[in-house]
Amino acid sequence: ADVANTSAVDPSSFTCVHMWLGGCGFGSEVNNLISAAIFCDKHGLDCIVEDEGWNSGRLHEYLQAEPLILKKCPRAGRTCQMLEIKRDKRVATKGWFTVRKHAKDISFKEKAQYARKIWRYTADVARSIKELNSE
C-alpha cells in the first residue's frame, strides 16, 4: 500500500509544522515547502522551515517568506506541538506523507498563487539579480 494515500494525521493535534530542507535540489525542496505551507494555511498552523542543513543555504537569505513561512517556531520550548516533515534517503516521517497526500489535491494554479506570495527577494538577492542582469 502507498503510505502517502493511507497516512492519517489529525492536524488539530498540532500547533505547527516543522519542515526540514535537506539534500534535494532547490526546486524540489521549495516545491515541497510550499505544499507544507499551504497545508498549514488550510489547518491554521504555523509553518517553520528548518534549513540549517540545507544544501542551498538558508531560505530567508533568498526570500522574505515571513509570516507565511517562519524562521523559528514562535512556541519553541513552550507549547510547541510540532508535526515533523523530514525525508532523508529512504526514510520519511508520517508528516512527510501527510503533506504529500494533501499536495495531490493542490492545483498548479493554487500552488503558483501561493508561491507568488512568498517569492519576495531579500535586498541582497534583488541587488545581485539586478547586477547579473545588467552584465
Side-chain angles (χ1 to χ4, degrees), residues 37-56:
I38 292 171
F39 175 86
C40 289
D41 270 358
K42 179 178 180 185
H43 297 288
L45 303 172
D46 289 322
C47 183
I48 295 91
V49 63
E50 301 286 353
D51 56 2
E52 295 83 12
W54 189 26
N55 63 5
S56 294

PDB file of all heavy atoms in Angstrom, residues 37-56:
ATOM      1  N   ALA A  37       3.393  24.699   3.459  1.00  0.00           N
ATOM      2  CA  ALA A  37       2.845  25.996   3.868  1.00  0.00           C
ATOM      3  C   ALA A  37       1.355  26.092   3.536  1.00  0.00           C
ATOM      4  O   ALA A  37       0.574  26.634   4.328  1.00  0.00           O
ATOM      5  CB  ALA A  37       3.632  27.125   3.204  1.00  0.00           C
ATOM      6  N   ILE A  38       0.951  25.562   2.404  1.00  0.00           N
ATOM      7  CA  ILE A  38      -0.470  25.553   2.040  1.00  0.00           C
ATOM      8  C   ILE A  38      -1.245  24.662   3.015  1.00  0.00           C
ATOM      9  O   ILE A  38      -2.338  25.021   3.468  1.00  0.00           O
ATOM     10  CB  ILE A  38      -0.667  25.106   0.574  1.00  0.00           C
ATOM     11  CG1 ILE A  38      -0.095  26.164  -0.378  1.00  0.00           C
ATOM     12  CG2 ILE A  38      -2.135  24.846   0.269  1.00  0.00           C
ATOM     13  CD1 ILE A  38      -0.030  25.732  -1.834  1.00  0.00           C
ATOM     14  N   PHE A  39      -0.674  23.526   3.371  1.00  0.00           N
ATOM     15  CA  PHE A  39      -1.274  22.642   4.375  1.00  0.00           C
ATOM     16  C   PHE A  39      -1.471  23.406   5.687  1.00  0.00           C
ATOM     17  O   PHE A  39      -2.534  23.340   6.307  1.00  0.00           O
ATOM     18  CB  PHE A  39      -0.370  21.418   4.587  1.00  0.00           C
ATOM     19  CG  PHE A  39      -0.821  20.486   5.672  1.00  0.00           C
ATOM     20  CD1 PHE A  39      -1.747  19.488   5.407  1.00  0.00           C
ATOM     21  CD2 PHE A  39      -0.303  20.584   6.952  1.00  0.00           C
ATOM     22  CE1 PHE A  39      -2.162  18.613   6.404  1.00  0.00           C
ATOM     23  CE2 PHE A  39      -0.703  19.720   7.960  1.00  0.00           C
ATOM     24  CZ  PHE A  39      -1.637  18.729   7.688  1.00  0.00           C
ATOM     25  N   CYS A  40      -0.441  24.149   6.091  1.00  0.00           N
ATOM     26  CA  CYS A  40      -0.520  24.938   7.326  1.00  0.00           C
ATOM     27  C   CYS A  40      -1.624  25.986   7.255  1.00  0.00           C
ATOM     28  O   CYS A  40      -2.399  26.142   8.204  1.00  0.00           O
ATOM     29  CB  CYS A  40       0.820  25.605   7.612  1.00  0.00           C
ATOM     30  SG  CYS A  40       2.103  24.447   8.118  1.00  0.00           S
ATOM     31  N   ASP A  41      -1.696  26.715   6.144  1.00  0.00           N
ATOM     32  CA  ASP A  41      -2.746  27.720   5.970  1.00  0.00           C
ATOM     33  C   ASP A  41      -4.133  27.091   6.102  1.00  0.00           C
ATOM     34  O   ASP A  41      -5.009  27.632   6.777  1.00  0.00           O
ATOM     35  CB  ASP A  41      -2.639  28.389   4.599  1.00  0.00           C
ATOM     36  CG  ASP A  41      -1.761  29.622   4.604  1.00  0.00           C
ATOM     37  OD1 ASP A  41      -1.255  30.003   5.676  1.00  0.00           O
ATOM     38  OD2 ASP A  41      -1.590  30.202   3.522  1.00  0.00           O
ATOM     39  N   LYS A  42      -4.295  25.954   5.466  1.00  0.00           N
ATOM     40  CA  LYS A  42      -5.595  25.286   5.477  1.00  0.00           C
ATOM     41  C   LYS A  42      -6.013  24.879   6.887  1.00  0.00           C
ATOM     42  O   LYS A  42      -7.186  24.899   7.224  1.00  0.00           O
ATOM     43  CB  LYS A  42      -5.559  24.058   4.570  1.00  0.00           C
ATOM     44  CG  LYS A  42      -6.856  23.298   4.541  1.00  0.00           C
ATOM     45  CD  LYS A  42      -6.818  22.117   3.619  1.00  0.00           C
ATOM     46  CE  LYS A  42      -8.172  21.398   3.647  1.00  0.00           C
ATOM     47  NZ  LYS A  42      -8.148  20.178   2.856  1.00  0.00           N
ATOM     48  N   HIS A  43      -5.031  24.526   7.721  1.00  0.00           N
ATOM     49  CA  HIS A  43      -5.336  23.985   9.048  1.00  0.00           C
ATOM     50  C   HIS A  43      -5.004  24.946  10.194  1.00  0.00           C
ATOM     51  O   HIS A  43      -5.077  24.559  11.360  1.00  0.00           O
ATOM     52  CB  HIS A  43      -4.623  22.656   9.245  1.00  0.00           C
ATOM     53  CG  HIS A  43      -5.081  21.605   8.283  1.00  0.00           C
ATOM     54  ND1 HIS A  43      -6.321  21.009   8.367  1.00  0.00           N
ATOM     55  CD2 HIS A  43      -4.485  21.067   7.195  1.00  0.00           C
ATOM     56  CE1 HIS A  43      -6.466  20.142   7.380  1.00  0.00           C
ATOM     57  NE2 HIS A  43      -5.368  20.161   6.652  1.00  0.00           N
ATOM     58  N   GLY A  44      -4.647  26.185   9.875  1.00  0.00           N
ATOM     59  CA  GLY A  44      -4.377  27.176  10.910  1.00  0.00           C
ATOM     60  C   GLY A  44      -3.131  26.897  11.730  1.00  0.00           C
ATOM     61  O   GLY A  44      -3.083  27.206  12.920  1.00  0.00           O
ATOM     62  N   LEU A  45      -2.110  26.345  11.086  1.00  0.00           N
ATOM     63  CA  LEU A  45      -0.855  26.008  11.766  1.00  0.00           C
ATOM     64  C   LEU A  45       0.254  26.947  11.321  1.00  0.00           C
ATOM     65  O   LEU A  45       0.238  27.450  10.197  1.00  0.00           O
ATOM     66  CB  LEU A  45      -0.444  24.562  11.433  1.00  0.00           C
ATOM     67  CG  LEU A  45      -1.472  23.476  11.774  1.00  0.00           C
ATOM     68  CD1 LEU A  45      -1.021  22.143  11.208  1.00  0.00           C
ATOM     69  CD2 LEU A  45      -1.684  23.391  13.272  1.00  0.00           C
ATOM     70  N   ASP A  46       1.229  27.170  12.194  1.00  0.00           N
ATOM     71  CA  ASP A  46       2.433  27.903  11.795  1.00  0.00           C
ATOM     72  C   ASP A  46       3.317  26.972  10.979  1.00  0.00           C
ATOM     73  O   ASP A  46       3.432  25.782  11.287  1.00  0.00           O
ATOM     74  CB  ASP A  46       3.212  28.382  13.025  1.00  0.00           C
ATOM     75  CG  ASP A  46       2.504  29.506  13.764  1.00  0.00           C
ATOM     76  OD1 ASP A  46       1.912  30.373  13.088  1.00  0.00           O
ATOM     77  OD2 ASP A  46       2.547  29.515  15.000  1.00  0.00           O
ATOM     78  N   CYS A  47       3.947  27.506   9.956  1.00  0.00           N
ATOM     79  CA  CYS A  47       4.884  26.745   9.127  1.00  0.00           C
ATOM     80  C   CYS A  47       6.292  27.251   9.414  1.00  0.00           C
ATOM     81  O   CYS A  47       6.592  28.421   9.187  1.00  0.00           O
ATOM     82  CB  CYS A  47       4.548  26.923   7.645  1.00  0.00           C
ATOM     83  SG  CYS A  47       5.604  25.944   6.549  1.00  0.00           S
ATOM     84  N   ILE A  48       7.137  26.356   9.913  1.00  0.00           N
ATOM     85  CA  ILE A  48       8.507  26.725  10.265  1.00  0.00           C
ATOM     86  C   ILE A  48       9.458  25.951   9.375  1.00  0.00           C
ATOM     87  O   ILE A  48       9.346  24.730   9.239  1.00  0.00           O
ATOM     88  CB  ILE A  48       8.807  26.415  11.757  1.00  0.00           C
ATOM     89  CG1 ILE A  48       7.933  27.283  12.674  1.00  0.00           C
ATOM     90  CG2 ILE A  48      10.267  26.677  12.075  1.00  0.00           C
ATOM     91  CD1 ILE A  48       6.643  26.669  13.043  1.00  0.00           C
ATOM     92  N   VAL A  49      10.389  26.650   8.754  1.00  0.00           N
ATOM     93  CA  VAL A  49      11.395  25.994   7.927  1.00  0.00           C
ATOM     94  C   VAL A  49      12.610  25.700   8.798  1.00  0.00           C
ATOM     95  O   VAL A  49      13.093  26.544   9.538  1.00  0.00           O
ATOM     96  CB  VAL A  49      11.778  26.842   6.686  1.00  0.00           C
ATOM     97  CG1 VAL A  49      12.407  28.160   7.063  1.00  0.00           C
ATOM     98  CG2 VAL A  49      12.693  26.060   5.750  1.00  0.00           C
ATOM     99  N   GLU A  50      13.069  24.464   8.723  1.00  0.00           N
ATOM    100  CA  GLU A  50      14.288  24.021   9.410  1.00  0.00           C
ATOM    101  C   GLU A  50      15.322  23.812   8.307  1.00  0.00           C
ATOM    102  O   GLU A  50      15.315  22.798   7.622  1.00  0.00           O
ATOM    103  CB  GLU A  50      14.033  22.720  10.194  1.00  0.00           C
ATOM    104  CG  GLU A  50      12.940  22.821  11.239  1.00  0.00           C
ATOM    105  CD  GLU A  50      13.359  23.598  12.476  1.00  0.00           C
ATOM    106  OE1 GLU A  50      14.549  23.962  12.600  1.00  0.00           O
ATOM    107  OE2 GLU A  50      12.486  23.845  13.332  1.00  0.00           O
ATOM    108  N   ASP A  51      16.165  24.806   8.097  1.00  0.00           N
ATOM    109  CA  ASP A  51      17.058  24.781   6.936  1.00  0.00           C
ATOM    110  C   ASP A  51      18.539  24.834   7.290  1.00  0.00           C
ATOM    111  O   ASP A  51      19.378  25.139   6.439  1.00  0.00           O
ATOM    112  CB  ASP A  51      16.695  25.902   5.971  1.00  0.00           C
ATOM    113  CG  ASP A  51      16.699  27.283   6.611  1.00  0.00           C
ATOM    114  OD1 ASP A  51      17.016  27.394   7.808  1.00  0.00           O
ATOM    115  OD2 ASP A  51      16.371  28.251   5.914  1.00  0.00           O
ATOM    116  N   GLU A  52      18.878  24.497   8.537  1.00  0.00           N
ATOM    117  CA  GLU A  52      20.285  24.544   8.952  1.00  0.00           C
ATOM    118  C   GLU A  52      21.159  23.614   8.109  1.00  0.00           C
ATOM    119  O   GLU A  52      22.312  23.906   7.842  1.00  0.00           O
ATOM    120  CB  GLU A  52      20.426  24.170  10.433  1.00  0.00           C
ATOM    121  CG  GLU A  52      19.772  25.139  11.389  1.00  0.00           C
ATOM    122  CD  GLU A  52      18.266  24.892  11.556  1.00  0.00           C
ATOM    123  OE1 GLU A  52      17.755  23.848  11.112  1.00  0.00           O
ATOM    124  OE2 GLU A  52      17.608  25.786  12.112  1.00  0.00           O
ATOM    125  N   GLY A  53      20.615  22.481   7.677  1.00  0.00           N
ATOM    126  CA  GLY A  53      21.387  21.523   6.901  1.00  0.00           C
ATOM    127  C   GLY A  53      21.098  21.535   5.413  1.00  0.00           C
ATOM    128  O   GLY A  53      21.515  20.638   4.680  1.00  0.00           O
ATOM    129  N   TRP A  54      20.394  22.560   4.942  1.00  0.00           N
ATOM    130  CA  TRP A  54      20.006  22.614   3.532  1.00  0.00           C
ATOM    131  C   TRP A  54      21.222  22.882   2.656  1.00  0.00           C
ATOM    132  O   TRP A  54      22.032  23.770   2.948  1.00  0.00           O
ATOM    133  CB  TRP A  54      18.958  23.702   3.349  1.00  0.00           C
ATOM    134  CG  TRP A  54      18.295  23.747   2.001  1.00  0.00           C
ATOM    135  CD1 TRP A  54      18.127  22.717   1.123  1.00  0.00           C
ATOM    136  CD2 TRP A  54      17.691  24.887   1.400  1.00  0.00           C
ATOM    137  NE1 TRP A  54      17.441  23.147   0.008  1.00  0.00           N
ATOM    138  CE2 TRP A  54      17.167  24.476   0.155  1.00  0.00           C
ATOM    139  CE3 TRP A  54      17.530  26.204   1.782  1.00  0.00           C
ATOM    140  CZ2 TRP A  54      16.496  25.335  -0.707  1.00  0.00           C
ATOM    141  CZ3 TRP A  54      16.869  27.063   0.930  1.00  0.00           C
ATOM    142  CH2 TRP A  54      16.358  26.632  -0.297  1.00  0.00           C
ATOM    143  N   ASN A  55      21.322  22.142   1.574  1.00  0.00           N
ATOM    144  CA  ASN A  55      22.471  22.291   0.678  1.00  0.00           C
ATOM    145  C   ASN A  55      22.446  23.588  -0.133  1.00  0.00           C
ATOM    146  O   ASN A  55      23.400  23.894  -0.841  1.00  0.00           O
ATOM    147  CB  ASN A  55      22.587  21.081  -0.257  1.00  0.00           C
ATOM    148  CG  ASN A  55      21.400  20.922  -1.181  1.00  0.00           C
ATOM    149  OD1 ASN A  55      20.495  21.746  -1.232  1.00  0.00           O
ATOM    150  ND2 ASN A  55      21.386  19.823  -1.910  1.00  0.00           N
ATOM    151  N   SER A  56      21.389  24.380  -0.008  1.00  0.00           N
ATOM    152  CA  SER A  56      21.301  25.653  -0.734  1.00  0.00           C
ATOM    153  C   SER A  56      21.407  26.863   0.185  1.00  0.00           C
ATOM    154  O   SER A  56      21.142  27.982  -0.243  1.00  0.00           O
ATOM    155  CB  SER A  56      19.980  25.719  -1.511  1.00  0.00           C
ATOM    156  OG  SER A  56      19.956  24.746  -2.532  1.00  0.00           O
TER     157      SER A  56
END
